[in-house]
Amino acid sequence: MELMKERFSKLLLGEDMSGGGKGVSSALALSNAVTNLAASVFGEQSKLEPMSADRKARWKKEIDWLLSVTDYIVEFVPSQQKSKDGTNMEIMVTQQRRDLLMNIPALRKLDVMLLGVLDNFTNEQEFKYVKRDADDSERNDKWWLPSVKVPPNGLSEESRHFLQKQKEAVNQVLKASMAINAQILSDMEIPDNYIETLPKNGRASLGESIYKSITVEFFDPLQFLSTMDLSSEHKVLDLKNRIEASIVIWKRKMHHKADSKSSNWGSAISLEKRELFEERAETILLLLKQQFPGIPQSSLEISKIQYNRDVGLSILESYSRVVESLGNTVMSRIQDVLYADSLAADPSLALANWNIESGESTPSPTLSSLASPIEQDSEKTSCAGETPSSMTLSDFMGWDFVPSADIKKNHSTGNLESCVRVEEEEVVKESKMMVMTKPVSALFNKFSYTDKIEMSGLRSPTARH
């Protein structure tokens, strides 16, 4: 009870413990509370093993406290009431707001599924974790994590099949959580503070070179991305920020065309061309989200979270984000085991991967096909960029986790190049969109949000950037 009093006191004070009224909004306080709770509970998940009973109980108890707020966010809906004389009357009753009614149960189920996946990894597994030695720590990006050890001859076929099944289950959770988070962010209003920082036109936002590439007569998004320098997270995030800013500018100009003569938003570009440019920028943004699902939040997303006043949207965004982050963490741990199994089968891959990461050779990005934002596999370097507004709970609640019968050995182990090639061939069959994917070595170096918290300490959404 005392812990609950403390938590809700901080929320009511807006995290301003002086009581001087300088705290953040209720929406942001709840968002930070969900984020910080997840970081403190899941930040210790460095292995594929069940969560301790204490941590699991704490997570379930405190997330229930925070989500209980949504039970009182309601809307009026029509209903039928039968009077004493037998006549039916239409009255208005309250029920939980529709977006919360659909998404909160879905996110709870995704949450339970991820914890269930971790519970499946008992002590009887064929692999184990050992402390990294000094040389291995220097070579590995995830130096703070324990090293995975597998039998000299690799994992058994049964163990590989089990890992593949767990991987597919986590993939389904990732797809759904990414879709929900992307939809919630798109539903949030663009704050005036962000709009005030925008330049007058898309050309100034993008820069002359990028603007010319997007506004050419014949535009190829793949060719555009191949000419951009995406060698670091900072450069990818900068391009994403520029693209998002130009989209906002062009959309506002289209909506304010009637006032263009008296407004600073005026432009000589026709409405049709501006709409075309905006669609091209949307395509590039979608491809970036698919190719780099683990990049930090953009300036627009941070502004939306920081200045959002809708408590319901704030809780949905933060809860879906932490579920997605936990999913990425679990997926990364599974990939670490599969990678160790691959090295057991072909030790030369370790040297090849080390050479690539050291800069001795820089492989060119390959082209492969990916499915739509909701249908694609997050471990094939894809991410849900946008979702249909009509998505319902049933869209992502009735999955089949049984792996296909034609799973090959190389799909889960074998050598790494075979693993990636088989996955790409499977995706090509069901895809119509061409995007650029990361090099093979990058598949095993994606950091989830929780991973980054482990390196930098506890951060709230606004303090991270």
Side-chain angles (χ1 to χ4, degrees):
M1 180 60 71
E2 291 301 320
L3 179 61
M4 184 171 64
K5 289 180 180 179
E6 178 187 351
R7 292 288 188 272
F8 279 93
S9 295
K10 289 182 178 180
L11 294 177
L12 291 173
L13 291 170
E15 300 178 352
D16 177 19
M17 305 311 292
S18 70
K22 299 179 181 179
V24 299
S25 66
S26 299
L28 183 57
L30 277 166
S31 176
N32 289 346
V34 173
T35 302
N36 294 335
L37 171 63
S40 61
V41 172
F42 300 128
E44 304 174 11
Q45 199 67 38
S46 59
K47 303 177 182 179
L48 284 176
E49 62 182 7
M51 290 179 59
S52 65
D54 291 342
R55 285 199 296 142
K56 185 182 294 186
R58 179 193 171 195
W59 168 252
K60 291 182 177 180
K61 177 177 66 176
E62 295 192 29
I63 196 64
D64 282 345
W65 290 348
L66 297 174
L67 295 180
S68 65
V69 177
T70 62
D71 295 336
Y72 302 94
I73 301 177
V74 297
E75 61 184 358
F76 283 105
V77 294
S79 179
Q80 294 291 327
Q81 182 181 42
K82 196 169 186 177
S83 60
K84 294 181 179 180
D85 59 2
T87 59
N88 289 326
M89 295 184 300
E90 186 177 87
I91 60 173
M92 300 298 289
V93 297
T94 60
Q95 73 171 22
Q96 191 177 32
R97 207 171 70 187
R98 183 172 177 79
D99 57 340
L100 300 172
L101 190 62
M102 290 192 302
N103 291 319
I104 291 295
L107 289 170
R108 283 185 178 275
K109 183 170 182 178
L110 298 176
D111 184 354
V112 171
M113 288 171 61
L114 280 178
L115 297 183
V117 169
L118 290 174
D119 289 340
N120 292 333
F121 290 94
T122 59
N123 294 329
E124 288 78 24
Q125 298 299 320
E126 295 180 7
F127 60 89
K128 61 182 180 179
Y129 291 92
V130 297
K131 186 176 181 180
R132 293 186 185 275
D133 55 37
D135 293 337
D136 191 31
S137 297
E138 290 178 2
R139 293 188 177 190
N140 201 294
D141 289 337
K142 299 181 181 180
W143 52 267
W144 70 96
L145 295 176
S147 178
V148 180
K149 294 296 181 183
V150 298
N153 296 327
L155 301 174
S156 66
E157 196 62 36
E158 180 181 358
S159 183
R160 292 167 184 161
H161 183 82
F162 168 78
L163 283 170
Q164 183 64 30
K165 185 176 181 180
Q166 302 309 308
K167 176 183 173 182
E168 291 179 359
V170 176
N171 277 337
Q172 297 294 334
V173 174
L174 276 172
K175 288 188 290 185
S177 58
M178 287 177 176
I180 295 175
N181 187 261
Q183 181 62 48
I184 298 304
L185 282 172
S186 67
D187 289 343
M188 289 183 177
E189 294 184 1
I190 301 175
D192 294 336
N193 303 64
Y194 177 81
I195 294 176
E196 291 172 358
T197 64
L198 297 177
K200 293 179 60 176
N201 52 56
R203 184 192 295 267
S205 172
L206 294 171
E208 193 67 27
S209 176
I210 299 178
Y211 180 80
K212 288 182 177 179
S213 299
I214 292 179
T215 57
V216 294
E217 183 176 358
F218 300 103
F219 175 72
D220 182 355
L222 287 178
Q223 178 63 28
F224 171 82
L225 287 179
S226 67
T227 61
M228 300 302 299
D229 182 6
L230 305 177
S231 58
S232 68
E233 183 181 85
H234 173 75
K235 293 177 180 178
V236 176
L237 184 60
D238 179 66
L239 178 60
K240 182 180 178 182
N241 285 331
R242 290 173 179 269
I243 295 294
E244 284 187 337
S246 65
I247 291 174
V248 173
I249 292 172
W250 285 329
K251 282 185 175 180
R252 283 178 58 82
K253 285 190 174 183
M254 287 187 287
H255 293 162
H256 294 79
K257 185 172 178 60
D259 301 328
S260 61
K261 292 183 179 180
S262 58
S263 172
N264 291 331
W265 294 92
S267 175
I269 302 178
S270 66
L271 179 63
E272 292 75 14
K273 282 189 175 181
R274 186 174 290 120
E275 185 175 0
L276 176 62
F277 298 160
E278 187 267 334
E279 290 176 356
R280 290 177 176 180
E282 290 274 13
T283 302
I284 296 172
L285 184 60
L286 177 59
L287 297 184
L288 282 176
K289 290 180 179 180
Q290 291 173 339
Q291 184 181 351
F292 303 99
I295 61 175
Q297 293 166 328
S298 65
S299 299
L300 176 58
E301 293 168 343
I302 294 172
S303 296
K304 284 185 173 183
I305 294 173
Q306 182 176 358
Y307 295 102
N308 168 60
R309 293 296 182 266
D310 189 311
V311 174
L313 290 179
S314 182
I315 293 178
L316 285 176
E317 190 282 327
S318 56
Y319 192 21
S320 61
R321 172 160 40 85
V322 299
V323 170
E324 177 187 338
S325 177
L326 177 59
N328 276 319
T329 299
V330 176
M331 180 61 71
S332 178
R333 305 296 180 261
I334 294 176
Q335 288 285 26
D336 289 342
V337 177
L338 297 179
Y339 179 52
D341 186 35
S342 298
L343 293 182
D346 187 359
S348 63
L349 291 173
L351 179 60
N353 192 46
W354 167 237
N355 289 338
I356 290 174
E357 293 176 357
S358 300
E360 296 181 17
S361 62
T362 306
S364 301
T366 59
L367 295 179
S368 68
S369 301
L370 292 181
S372 63
I374 301 180
E375 297 172 350
Q376 57 209 346
D377 188 313
S378 67
E379 280 305 307
K380 297 161 191 169
T381 64
S382 58
C383 175
E386 53 186 67
T387 63
S389 58
S390 60
M391 180 173 55
T392 62
L393 181 61
S394 61
D395 289 332
F396 43 83
M397 295 295 280
W399 303 310
D400 178 12
F401 296 139
V402 179
S404 58
D406 60 345
I407 293 178
K408 302 178 181 179
K409 177 179 178 180
N410 280 340
H411 188 74
S412 58
T413 58
N415 67 53
L416 298 183
E417 295 178 355
S418 298
C419 172
V420 175
R421 183 169 61 253
V422 171
E423 288 192 350
E424 291 185 349
E425 289 173 355
E426 291 177 353
V427 181
V428 167
K429 296 178 182 178
E430 57 186 35
S431 170
K432 295 181 180 178
M433 183 185 300
M434 296 290 293
V435 299
M436 297 171 58
T437 61
K438 295 181 182 178
V440 173
S441 61
L443 293 175
F444 300 95
N445 291 296
K446 292 191 298 183
F447 300 112
S448 68
Y449 173 62
T450 306
D451 287 337
K452 293 180 179 180
I453 288 179
E454 292 172 1
M455 291 186 287
S456 60
L458 195 58
R459 295 286 188 267
S460 66
T462 54
R464 292 204 312 267
H465 305 274

